[in-house]
Amino acid sequence: MLERVALGRHEGFDRVVFQFRSHVPGYRVEYVEPPLKEDGSGNVVQLKGNAFVVVRMEQASGFDLTVNEGELVYKGPRRFQGSAAGTAIVREVVRTGDFEAVLSWAVGLEDRVDFRVRTANSPARLIVDFRNH
């Protein structure tokens, strides 16, 4: 269960963090070519940037179907502006899907840059760092 998404600038990199309730799900992080499409509907997703990375997490969701009527776990925004977070290379982060236990977010970047992916515990987090200028 996704609980929180955060975006911020640090010395040498911009960071996107996905925080989970219990553990980090399986994931794939890769550059993709537009157009970006929303999972399930196939609708085109508009995203600021000149290069695009998709973070796809499997066996993950922001909605818990195991409780009686279902529970919205992730209550944050579906779109983050890099300018609001003060990032140098990340222009925008947008949720592109939460469908059939596949959760995906797209990151629009000013330029194609190196990135690294790591996980952390307590709390469970998937962390993606993009080299900034």
Side-chain angles (χ1 to χ4, degrees):
M1 295 295 105
L2 179 70
E3 292 185 318
R4 179 175 171 263
V5 177
L7 172 62
R9 180 179 180 164
H10 301 271
E11 185 65 37
F13 59 94
D14 289 350
R15 175 171 284 172
V16 181
V17 178
F18 302 92
Q19 181 177 313
F20 295 89
R21 183 178 278 173
S22 61
H23 66 278
V24 175
Y27 61 88
R28 184 172 65 227
V29 182
E30 61 187 349
Y31 275 100
V32 297
E33 294 297 319
L36 300 172
K37 297 196 175 177
E38 190 173 51
D39 297 342
S41 72
N43 294 333
V44 173
V45 175
Q46 298 300 319
L47 181 63
K48 295 175 186 171
N50 300 310
F52 306 97
V53 169
V54 168
V55 180
R56 178 183 168 100
M57 298 160 275
E58 298 190 33
Q59 296 307 307
S61 181
F63 192 80
D64 188 353
L65 293 172
T66 63
V67 293
N68 291 340
E69 308 256 336
E71 173 193 1
L72 183 62
V73 176
Y74 176 70
K75 297 176 182 168
R78 295 180 182 189
R79 185 175 295 264
F80 293 84
Q81 300 298 323
S83 59
T87 55
I89 199 73
V90 174
R91 294 197 56 205
E92 196 169 30
V93 179
V94 177
R95 189 183 82 183
T96 56
D98 190 347
F99 184 69
E100 295 184 346
V102 176
L103 183 62
S104 56
W105 288 73
V107 181
L109 304 169
E110 186 65 36
D111 298 303
R112 191 176 179 116
V113 296
D114 292 337
F115 66 87
R116 71 178 179 182
V117 180
R118 62 191 181 94
T119 62
N121 297 319
S122 297
R125 289 163 287 153
L126 175 63
I127 302 162
V128 187
D129 293 333
F130 297 93
R131 183 182 308 207
N132 65 24
H133 310 302

